Amino acid sequence: MRWTLAVASLWGSIAAISLLMLVAPTADAASAAEVRFVQAAPDRAQGQLAVKRDGRTTRIGAPVRFGAAGTYNEVEPGTVTLEALAPEGRTAAEAPSQPLEAGERYTVMLLGGDQGPKIKLFRDAEPEAGRAKVRVIQAAPELGGPTIELSGRVIARRADFEQATPDVALPPGAYDLSLRRPGPGGEPILAQRNIALAAGTTSTAFVVGTQGQRTRALIVTDDTLAPRGAPETGLGGLDRAPGLPWLLIALATLAGGIAGGAGFELAGRRRDRARGDAVER
């Protein structure tokens, strides 16, 4: 009987650990906004995103070269000032009073043009089971308002600079992206073939270039219905793991369960010994 209760105590601790490991990462992810930085200003070699809040500036992620997208980084939700920093740390552009909501993903773009660099914020769409969502953001300042097609389907008849097309839900597969000058029989500007779009994902095609840079489309995945991060294996790098406090709680819970079970068993043995001594007397 005593061993049954001790084992039950241990299994209860293991169940608590499992619940902590499942719930804690979800709670942490839901409490933050996620942002990534796209450097689309053709006259700048690279830039870095920074967030200013309450007079304090925090750099977000690593510097990003022209025509590339950074990874998503968690940011505390709320109203913030977004900045793009030049390599030497100087502010290249600023977009004040941008709201970031918990649990949402955003793309922050540094754009070029005749008026100088500017920042624009886009909210990223949520994925849909069985469908592939895609949008196109026209970030090349000298293209005017081209017509945008996906495998012959027109998704924007005039995509002006800084404009994002609506998210289009498609069957998963490979698609051809093409841009041409506005109007009937418009001259082709860009053709990019066999863009793979998977089910349960959202993607963005960033059209970048001009001002001396080659016009091209940068295709990136925004989100997926699968887990966003691969599970950790082993215990390497625990000192840098964001979930370390939960791991410590889990280990403490397990240790407490083992100690409780052992203590319960030891107490039972002492009671048995005390009864034996009493009988002998």
Side-chain angles (χ1 to χ4, degrees), residues 167-254:
D167 290 280
V168 181
L170 302 166
Y175 292 85
D176 298 335
L177 173 66
S178 62
L179 277 71
R180 55 182 174 82
R181 301 289 179 189
E187 174 190 356
I189 301 173
L190 174 67
Q192 197 152 323
R193 309 295 183 189
N194 296 321
I195 299 171
L197 301 176
T201 64
T202 58
S203 302
T204 299
F206 299 96
V207 179
V208 299
T210 69
Q211 292 185 310
Q213 299 282 355
R214 178 176 60 88
T215 301
R216 61 189 186 277
L218 170 68
I219 316 294
V220 296
T221 300
D222 304 335
D223 205 351
T224 175
L225 287 178
R228 291 178 179 174
E232 294 289 341
T233 58
L235 297 177
L238 288 179
D239 57 328
R240 300 183 298 275
L244 181 58
W246 289 104
L247 178 62
L248 294 177
I249 293 173
L251 292 175
T253 303
L254 179 59

Side-chain angles (χ1 to χ4, degrees), residues 106-117:
Y106 299 88
T107 294
V108 181
M109 294 190 70
L110 177 63
L111 299 163
D114 295 338
Q115 306 301 317

Side-chain angles (χ1 to χ4, degrees), residues 46-274:
Q46 69 176 30
Q48 184 175 15
L49 177 64
V51 170
K52 183 186 293 183
R53 188 197 310 264
D54 300 327
R56 182 170 58 90
T57 300
T58 304
R59 293 175 183 247
I60 306 297
V64 178
R65 70 182 187 280
F66 169 72
T71 59
Y72 283 99
N73 290 271
E74 291 187 355
V75 174
E76 182 183 349
T79 300
V80 299
T81 297
L82 299 172
E83 293 184 339
L85 303 179
E88 67 275 12
R90 177 179 53 83
T91 300
E94 183 177 286
S97 301
Q98 299 291 322
L100 302 177
E101 297 181 15
E104 297 292 335
R105 281 189 161 188
Y106 299 88
T107 294
V108 181
M109 294 190 70
L110 177 63
L111 299 163
D114 295 338
Q115 306 301 317
K118 65 174 64 176
I119 289 178
K120 190 160 185 179
L121 178 70
F122 297 88
R123 185 193 295 261
D124 300 337
E126 295 183 359
E128 177 183 339
R131 305 284 282 176
K133 287 185 178 180
V134 62
R135 66 179 172 180
V136 180
I137 297 181
Q138 208 290 72
E142 297 175 15
L143 296 186
T147 297
I148 301 179
E149 299 179 357
L150 271 177
S151 294
R153 174 181 175 178
V154 176
I155 62 172
R157 296 199 176 276
R158 183 178 179 86
D160 292 325
F161 177 55
E162 303 179 26
Q163 178 182 331
T165 69
D167 290 280
V168 181
L170 302 166
Y175 292 85
D176 298 335
L177 173 66
S178 62
L179 277 71
R180 55 182 174 82
R181 301 289 179 189
E187 174 190 356
I189 301 173
L190 174 67
Q192 197 152 323
R193 309 295 183 189
N194 296 321
I195 299 171
L197 301 176
T201 64
T202 58
S203 302
T204 299
F206 299 96
V207 179
V208 299
T210 69
Q211 292 185 310
Q213 299 282 355
R214 178 176 60 88
T215 301
R216 61 189 186 277
L218 170 68
I219 316 294
V220 296
T221 300
D222 304 335
D223 205 351
T224 175
L225 287 178
R228 291 178 179 174
E232 294 289 341
T233 58
L235 297 177
L238 288 179
D239 57 328
R240 300 183 298 275
L244 181 58
W246 289 104
L247 178 62
L248 294 177
I249 293 173
L251 292 175
T253 303
L254 179 59
I258 294 172
F264 190 88
E265 176 64 16
L266 180 59
R269 291 180 179 178
R270 287 176 175 172
R271 285 195 299 271
D272 289 346
R273 190 179 300 114

